[in-house]
Amino acid sequence: MMRWTRLLDDTRLGDDRKTATRAETARSEFQKDHDRLIFSEPFRKLGRKTQVHPLPQNDRVHNRLTHSLEVSCVGRSLGELAGKRLHERGLLPAGVVAADVAAIVQAACLAHDIGNPPFGHAGEFAIRDWYAKRDPGFFDGMQSATTQDLMTFEGNAQGFRLLTSLVDSVGLRLTYATLGSFIKYPWSATHAPRYKPGKFSYFASETTSFRTIATSMGLIEIEPGVFCRHPLAYLVEAADDICYAIIDIEDGIEMNLLVPSEVEQLLLSVMPAATRAQYDLHRIGRTDPQRIRWLRGKAVDVLIEDCARAFFAHEQAILGGTFTSTLVDSGSPQVAAGIQAAKNLARERIFTHTRKMEIEIGAYAAVDTLLDACSNAARELIAADPAHPLSYRASRVLGLMGELAPTPSTGLEESYRRINDFLSSLTDNRATELAQAIRGHG
């Protein structure tokens, strides 16, 4: 069984120094994690990255930044409920209070999409497809694990790489507890086919960091390289599930893909009878947007309470590493059915929107252009010698990559990881601009 005294570890990756006590600083170590993320450049860039709709013309539609902030608010509430319950039972380690559990979940929620490339999931698929189209000889000299990482590029694993390796070469130095809560799929690409195809949380290059974090907190190792989740990762997942189910249908109204009445009925389906009766009185004289906002707030409250109950109902299985469901699916059948109905509605009516599909096709072209240019420049750099100096074009492309550009000593594998680092760091707008410029359409 995992133990909370180890799971709530405030040790920072890459920093063995003793941290200051709460009495010596205005913020706990977990609150500092939240602040480090908020002030980081990768977090700011989420403001111009796709949530569902790439390059939206309606500025009221969610992007990755607004989504992450909303998820963090829901996560904080879930963490607060969990922290209070753990405190009441005397399970929190010395120096940790209920608010710290809330801060851990909130910080992990802020970071949960930080590794996503431009254009959302379309960008992920575009990167995977580009590598899948390469001839087998393209990967000569690379380890099989690296090849698999490239061909199944995953935003979750890219996020872990960013948090632990990329920012100033050491990551953001977050606490083990926050990093553990961030890890949704605690295995590598080589294990993914047996656990959840296409989903994993660490690349081969971050194996050591991942293992250090997992073993230090006492996460249960299921097989070599595969661990059970940190318990708080289930709260992060629940916060994300709650938000994107509701956000998607709210955005559907904004984009005139759904009508308020059908969203109204869907949100009411998760409410208890008393809240539905309260709504019958509240709706009188209110506009459609006012009614939907009221219902959204009530729905979030219901979902938070339901997921918190499910968390403690399954606490022993979670701590034993045997829980295989989600908190949303394991709670009230009425709530689970409502969330599934929202997801189905989004899939059938929103994800097939013509403009969304048009821009996603364009996203593929942009990703192809950028990967073509960067890979050609990297290979030319590696092969360069006095008889075959680097071309001017290649030097300019590498210059665009800035501090993420490969060097002559980087090697082929790390060069491609850096290319993916660079591409993932771009916003939708910047990726589009650079691809146009490379194609001569600036």
Side-chain angles (χ1 to χ4, degrees), residues 50-56 61-62 251-252 255 257 350 353 356:
T50 298
Q51 169 58 19
V52 172
H53 305 281
L55 302 170
V61 169
H62 289 82
D251 284 349
M255 300 190 70
L257 303 176
I350 297 175
H353 184 226
K356 174 176 168 61

Side-chain angles (χ1 to χ4, degrees), residues 258-403:
L258 302 175
V259 297
S261 59
E262 61 187 328
V263 173
E264 177 183 42
Q265 291 307 309
L266 194 153
L267 293 175
L268 281 170
S269 72
V270 304
M271 306 289 184
T275 306
R276 290 198 296 271
Q278 184 184 2
Y279 178 64
D280 287 338
L281 298 175
H282 174 85
R283 69 192 306 274
I284 299 171
R286 302 300 201 282
T287 64
D288 286 340
Q290 288 172 332
R291 292 200 298 271
I292 295 299
R293 285 195 292 270
W294 189 90
L295 285 170
R296 181 239 293 146
K298 295 296 183 182
V300 169
D301 285 343
V302 168
L303 291 164
I304 287 172
E305 291 171 6
D306 192 66
C307 287
R309 283 193 296 269
F311 181 76
F312 283 103
H314 297 278
E315 182 184 8
Q316 292 307 301
I318 290 172
L319 289 173
T322 60
F323 185 67
T324 58
S325 184
T326 68
L327 297 181
V328 168
D329 290 339
S330 302
S332 159
Q334 176 183 341
V335 168
I339 289 293
Q340 188 58 53
K343 292 178 179 179
N344 292 340
L345 188 62
R347 183 166 51 249
E348 295 164 5
R349 302 270 297 281
I350 297 175
F351 295 168
T352 56
H353 184 226
T354 301
R355 173 171 167 77
K356 174 176 168 61
M357 292 191 291
E358 288 173 350
I359 296 180
E360 286 180 347
I361 292 170
Y364 266 70
V367 168
D368 281 359
T369 297
L370 291 166
L371 286 174
D372 284 342
C374 291
S375 65
N376 289 338
R379 284 183 174 269
E380 190 176 324
L381 177 68
I382 291 170
D385 58 39
H388 304 88
L390 189 67
S391 68
Y392 182 79
R393 185 179 191 275
S395 70
R396 296 296 87 188
V397 170
L398 294 171
L400 286 174
M401 294 179 66
E403 62 184 13

Side-chain angles (χ1 to χ4, degrees), residues 105-121:
V105 180
Q106 184 178 27
C109 287
L110 280 178
H112 83 282
D113 276 345
I114 204 164
N116 280 32
F119 313 116
H121 292 303

Side-chain angles (χ1 to χ4, degrees), residues 4-313:
W4 289 108
T5 50
R6 293 184 66 184
L7 291 166
L8 303 179
D9 189 343
D10 68 357
T11 304
R12 296 193 178 279
L13 187 66
D15 191 350
D16 296 327
R17 293 172 297 175
K18 181 183 182 299
T19 55
T21 64
R22 181 179 294 273
E24 296 171 324
T25 179
R27 300 172 295 163
S28 75
E29 295 303 312
F30 307 119
Q31 290 168 336
K32 291 177 184 177
D33 286 346
H34 170 275
D35 296 352
R36 288 183 183 202
L37 286 158
I38 288 286
F39 281 91
S40 70
E41 179 182 321
F43 185 76
R44 291 198 299 273
K45 287 184 176 180
L46 294 177
R48 292 200 173 211
K49 288 192 176 186
T50 298
Q51 169 58 19
V52 172
H53 305 281
L55 302 170
Q57 295 172 322
N58 183 335
D59 60 9
R60 293 190 297 274
V61 169
H62 289 82
N63 55 46
R64 284 286 169 185
L65 182 65
T66 52
H67 168 69
S68 297
L69 289 168
E70 290 175 355
V71 173
S72 77
C73 291
V74 174
R76 181 189 62 219
S77 296
L78 285 166
E80 188 72 30
L81 290 173
K84 287 179 178 178
R85 180 80 174 270
L86 293 171
H87 172 71
E88 290 168 359
R89 294 160 57 198
L91 296 177
L92 295 179
V96 175
V97 299
D100 288 331
V101 180
I104 293 167
V105 180
Q106 184 178 27
C109 287
L110 280 178
H112 83 282
D113 276 345
I114 204 164
N116 280 32
F119 313 116
H121 292 303
E124 281 184 313
F125 288 123
I127 294 171
R128 294 174 189 174
D129 287 354
W130 187 87
Y131 284 103
K133 289 184 292 187
R134 300 308 99 188
D135 293 329
F138 178 86
F139 300 100
D140 285 350
M142 296 189 193
Q143 298 180 36
S144 60
T146 302
T147 300
Q148 202 158 4
D149 284 346
L150 296 174
M151 295 184 70
T152 54
F153 176 86
E154 225 287 324
N156 289 286
Q158 184 64 30
F160 185 73
R161 176 171 166 82
L162 188 154
L163 294 174
T164 59
S165 304
L166 293 186
V167 180
D168 296 329
S169 301
V170 293
L172 293 181
R173 284 198 168 126
L174 303 181
T175 62
Y176 287 172
T178 295
L179 289 170
S181 303
F182 164 85
I183 298 169
K184 188 175 182 180
Y185 307 108
W187 51 76
S188 70
T190 58
H191 305 102
R194 300 198 306 280
Y195 290 91
K196 195 172 182 66
K199 296 293 186 182
F200 57 98
S201 283
Y202 73 94
F203 294 127
S205 51
E206 279 68 57
T207 300
T208 300
S209 296
F210 173 81
R211 176 167 285 280
T212 297
I213 294 164
T215 56
S216 294
M217 289 188 295
L219 301 188
I220 299 167
E221 189 164 17
I222 299 168
E223 63 171 279
V226 178
F227 288 77
C228 70
R229 279 185 181 177
H230 190 293
L232 297 184
Y234 288 100
L235 298 182
V236 176
E237 178 184 51
D240 191 25
D241 283 348
I242 290 168
C243 287
Y244 78 65
I246 293 176
I247 283 169
D248 285 351
I249 58 175
E250 274 196 297
D251 284 349
I253 295 174
E254 288 291 347
M255 300 190 70
N256 297 316
L257 303 176
L258 302 175
V259 297
S261 59
E262 61 187 328
V263 173
E264 177 183 42
Q265 291 307 309
L266 194 153
L267 293 175
L268 281 170
S269 72
V270 304
M271 306 289 184
T275 306
R276 290 198 296 271
Q278 184 184 2
Y279 178 64
D280 287 338
L281 298 175
H282 174 85
R283 69 192 306 274
I284 299 171
R286 302 300 201 282
T287 64
D288 286 340
Q290 288 172 332
R291 292 200 298 271
I292 295 299
R293 285 195 292 270
W294 189 90
L295 285 170
R296 181 239 293 146
K298 295 296 183 182
V300 169
D301 285 343
V302 168
L303 291 164
I304 287 172
E305 291 171 6
D306 192 66
C307 287
R309 283 193 296 269
F311 181 76
F312 283 103

